[in-house]
Amino acid sequence: MRRFGLACLCLALSSGRGIAGTVYVASQEAGAVARIEAGTTGTLAAIAVGGGPAQVAAGPDGRLYLTQPDGHAVTVVDPATNTVLRRLPFAGQAFGIAVSPDGAGLFVGDWANARVVRLSAETGAVEGSVAVGREPAGLVLDARGRLYVADRESRQVSVVDTATMTRTDTLPVGEAPFALALSPKQDRLYVANVRSGDLSVLETGSARVLATVRIGGMPYGVAASADGRLVLVTDQQAGRVVALDAAKLGLQATVSVGRYPEGIVVDGERAYVANWFSDSVSVIDLATLVETGRIPVGAGPRSLAVVPDPPARRPGGGRP
Amino acid sequence: MRLAVPAALLALVATAAIAHGPTPQKVHQSVTIAAKPEAVWKVVGDFAGIGTWHPDVAKAEGTDGNTSGGRRKVTLKAGGTLDESLDEWNAQGRTYSYRLSDADLKALPVSSYSATLTVSPDGEGSKVEWLGRFYRGDTGNEPPEELSDAAGKAAMVRYFGDGLKGLKAKVEGRVATGTMPDGRAKP
């Protein structure tokens, strides 16, 4: 049902409209992942995964991968059938996660052991490892195979060449970088710094810091709008989302959401925010920057992922 | 074994200040008080004035006032010091948010926290909510029991609960005592 090839992911990335699809939220305290339906006020079927899932990422085939730092595992879920497919053992504290474009490899940050490990998505076999800074938090992979890692207690972003699993660069950012997001064109990397209360804006081509933007409170999540014009930052301390104009890096609006907002994703014309303390997901309409809904979810939601919709059937299209 | 414990605790104290861990925990306590919100805010709104209402606090010293960046150093009767700083202080909304700067496992068995205290109208009186997010004292995968999620939760619930009871008693004109032990359990 949600199976499709790689081509559509690349299409979605290059279309300028960004990925449209289905949003999933992982609730750490509840040990569950649930599908969020835009426009509705209720949650759909929650899938019990146990073991305190902290972060979730979607693979190109629509599968969900959830890290369980206290459970020494990464759990694989097929949302099309609402089933847990596998539990991959992880020797460490699995936290941040990214999936390779072909869906074969998982890059998993090991919070306690300052490294990123590459696992086979199918078997869980360790295929490589690279040392990064202390307490690696958010991970994001670009189209060229560069993995960016927010090294929370090293005040830096590590850049990893995933083809060779070597660290090629470290970029100094603010205090306690936690969440990362690439602009749709992937020319910028946004870094939410929890302790210094600001956002580092990096140019990916030159690997330099373009700007540091004051947010205030504790920025714990960041996302770019599909058209690239907005940067959305969650501020946990103030229970709000700060929307910045990406061109000027000035304040566009602030949107009140639930308590302790953390993860944020954009799906088409809407943003979804995991309100960790309030056990809900806020829906923000990006055209008006207004919260249009607040959906109750399992306890302790922190992370969201978007599973892209299958592409429309085209003549000659299909799997690569 | 008995000799090894203090050394292990010392090592934990040394690393706790920069450890945050991957599993945050919630603490949420509230109380209703038979007084107008303005009267409650007058007592609780002064960030460094926590020693006047919290029964577990021996003394509190403030610097830089009731504004973002303001700090307080809170010494507990049971031992240990909480060094905290304000992120936001909003008199109109009768709310402030703050965070722990450096962990002190003697004070509370947690490695870090942020918290918000809010006074709101409740009928003829007030409701005070005190909520926060914290991480256990040992953020590793196999924490000892005294530095586990459960130990952190028990301590935070007790500390917030004692405080709100003390605040209610102070504002309503009674006397409350804390429940914190006089000293930490001996190893």
Side-chain angles (χ1 to χ4, degrees), chain A residues 2 20 29 42 45 70 72 78 118 190 192 208 239 285 288 310:
Chain A
R2 294 192 187 279
E29 209 178 324
D70 283 347
H72 302 276
D78 179 10
R118 183 185 159 117
Y190 300 108
R208 67 188 181 97
D285 175 60
T288 56

Side-chain angles (χ1 to χ4, degrees), chain A residues 230 232 241 243 253-257 269-271 273 282-294:
Chain A
L230 291 173
L232 306 157
V241 171
T254 61
V255 185
S256 285
V257 291
E269 301 304 310
R270 296 187 179 93
V273 182
S282 288
V283 185
I284 296 172
D285 175 60
L286 292 177
T288 56
L289 289 172
V290 167
E291 185 192 34
T292 56
R294 203 175 286 190

Side-chain angles (χ1 to χ4, degrees), chain A residues 28-29 54 69-72 92-93 95 111 134-135 152-153 178 194-197 214 217-218 220 235-238 259-260 262 276-279 299-302, chain B residues 15 17-28 68 85 87-88 97-99 112-116 118 129 131-136 139-142 149 153:
Chain A
Q28 190 168 26
E29 209 178 324
D70 283 347
H72 302 276
Q93 281 186 319
F95 194 78
W111 185 278
R134 290 169 50 86
E135 299 191 357
R152 178 169 171 147
E153 290 308 324
F178 187 82
V194 170
R195 216 173 296 128
S196 49
R214 178 85 195 145
M218 291 185 168
Y220 251 99
D235 170 6
Q236 234 178 35
Q237 276 288 63
R259 284 167 165 169
Y260 280 86
E262 187 160 333
W276 173 76
F277 199 97
S278 303
D279 304 332
R302 297 182 71 191
Chain B
T15 57
I18 48 161
H20 288 263
T23 312
Q25 302 291 318
K26 293 170 182 166
V27 54
H28 188 194
S68 177
S85 64
D87 282 300
E88 202 171 328
S97 298
Y98 63 97
R99 68 179 84 178
S112 74
Y113 58 76
S114 65
T116 298
T118 305
E129 274 190 286
L131 59 90
R133 168 170 167 136
F134 68 90
Y135 296 85
R136 62 181 177 247
T139 59
N141 262 349
E142 277 84 30
D149 285 337
K153 187 129 193 165

Side-chain angles (χ1 to χ4, degrees), chain A residues 13 55 71-72 101 126 143 166 176 211 229 252 264:
Chain A
L13 282 170
Q55 300 263 307
H72 302 276
V126 174
T166 51
R229 288 196 297 180
Q252 181 96 3
I264 181 167

Side-chain angles (χ1 to χ4, degrees), chain B:
Chain B
M1 195 59 205
R2 286 186 65 217
L3 282 172
V5 171
L9 270 177
L10 213 71
L12 287 166
V13 170
T15 57
I18 48 161
H20 288 263
T23 312
Q25 302 291 318
K26 293 170 182 166
V27 54
H28 188 194
Q29 296 281 293
S30 64
V31 72
T32 54
I33 298 180
K36 295 283 185 205
E38 305 83 75
V40 178
W41 179 250
K42 211 172 158 186
V43 175
V44 80
D46 178 21
F47 187 57
I50 188 170
T52 65
W53 55 270
H54 199 307
D56 301 339
V57 170
K59 64 168 181 171
E61 292 162 350
T63 48
D64 301 330
N66 290 319
T67 181
S68 177
R71 306 182 79 90
R72 71 183 177 193
K73 205 166 210 170
V74 181
T75 306
L76 299 184
K77 287 176 183 168
T81 304
L82 301 171
D83 190 351
E84 299 169 324
S85 64
L86 274 173
D87 282 300
E88 202 171 328
W89 189 87
N90 176 351
Q92 203 181 359
R94 296 189 196 92
T95 184
Y96 54 80
S97 298
Y98 63 97
R99 68 179 84 178
L100 180 69
S101 299
D102 293 302
D104 181 354
L105 298 175
K106 284 202 306 289
L108 291 168
V110 296
S111 55
S112 74
Y113 58 76
S114 65
T116 298
L117 190 146
T118 305
V119 182
S120 51
D122 183 67
E124 292 295 296
S126 306
K127 183 180 181 187
V128 183
E129 274 190 286
W130 199 357
L131 59 90
R133 168 170 167 136
F134 68 90
Y135 296 85
R136 62 181 177 247
D138 176 355
T139 59
N141 262 349
E142 277 84 30
E145 202 180 312
E146 69 274 16
L147 298 174
S148 64
D149 285 337
K153 187 129 193 165
M156 292 297 283
V157 165
R158 187 168 59 191
Y159 182 66
F160 280 21
D162 283 358
L164 292 180
K165 271 183 232 147
L167 177 67
K168 179 180 173 75
K170 162 113 180 155
V171 175
E172 293 180 353
R174 294 181 290 102
V175 177
T177 51
T179 63
M180 294 279 274
D182 287 336
R184 274 177 66 83
K186 304 289 183 292

Side-chain angles (χ1 to χ4, degrees), chain A:
Chain A
M1 181 177 159
R2 294 192 187 279
R3 295 186 154 274
F4 53 94
L6 244 181
C8 68
L9 182 65
C10 306
L11 257 174
L13 282 170
S14 59
S15 72
R17 289 187 60 249
I19 297 170
T22 309
V23 177
Y24 291 85
V25 60
S27 292
Q28 190 168 26
E29 209 178 324
V33 60
R35 181 170 61 193
I36 303 291
E37 286 264 308
T40 68
T41 50
T43 353
L44 295 181
I47 305 162
V49 295
Q55 300 263 307
V56 56
D61 58 0
R63 284 180 181 171
L64 299 174
Y65 299 92
L66 298 108
T67 56
Q68 293 157 308
D70 283 347
H72 302 276
V74 175
T75 287
V76 189
V77 166
D78 179 10
T81 56
N82 282 352
T83 51
V84 172
L85 295 178
R86 285 185 293 283
R87 199 173 299 274
L88 312 175
F90 187 81
Q93 281 186 319
F95 194 78
I97 185 161
V99 187
S100 68
D102 62 4
L106 307 177
F107 300 96
V108 182
D110 184 346
W111 185 278
N113 299 299
R115 59 183 181 156
V116 171
V117 180
R118 183 185 159 117
L119 302 180
S120 158
E122 198 61 36
T123 66
V126 174
E127 297 175 336
S129 176
V130 58
V132 294
R134 290 169 50 86
E135 299 191 357
L139 305 184
V140 64
L141 186 62
D142 77 5
R144 294 201 280 172
R146 280 181 307 202
L147 183 73
Y148 297 92
V149 184
D151 296 335
R152 178 169 171 147
E153 290 308 324
S154 296
R155 301 183 188 184
Q156 69 189 20
V157 169
S158 286
V159 186
V160 170
D161 171 26
T162 55
T164 57
M165 284 302 276
T166 51
R167 180 159 64 170
T168 56
D169 212 344
T170 56
L171 314 172
V173 292
E175 265 187 80
F178 187 82
L180 303 174
L182 284 162
S183 62
K185 287 184 191 162
Q186 304 201 335
D187 56 343
R188 282 181 176 185
L189 179 72
Y190 300 108
V191 184
N193 303 306
V194 170
R195 216 173 296 128
S196 49
D198 49 24
L199 182 80
S200 300
V201 181
L202 275 57
E203 191 176 62
T204 52
S206 64
R208 67 188 181 97
V209 178
L210 289 177
T212 303
V213 185
R214 178 85 195 145
I215 303 294
M218 291 185 168
Y220 251 99
V222 58
S225 64
D227 60 12
R229 288 196 297 180
L230 291 173
V231 187
L232 306 157
V233 184
T234 58
D235 170 6
Q236 234 178 35
Q237 276 288 63
R240 60 182 187 159
V241 171
V242 175
L244 302 174
D245 176 318
K248 296 176 188 152
L249 293 173
L251 180 68
Q252 181 96 3
T254 61
V255 185
S256 285
V257 291
R259 284 167 165 169
Y260 280 86
E262 187 160 333
I264 181 167
V265 293
V266 166
D267 180 29
E269 301 304 310
R270 296 187 179 93
Y272 295 81
V273 182
N275 299 312
W276 173 76
F277 199 97
S278 303
D279 304 332
S280 63
V281 168
S282 288
V283 185
I284 296 172
D285 175 60
L286 292 177
T288 56
L289 289 172
V290 167
E291 185 192 34
T292 56
R294 203 175 286 190
I295 302 163
V297 299
R302 297 182 71 191
S303 172
L304 302 137
V306 183
V307 172
D309 286 334
R313 199 179 291 245
R314 316 180 295 278
R319 288 172 175 246

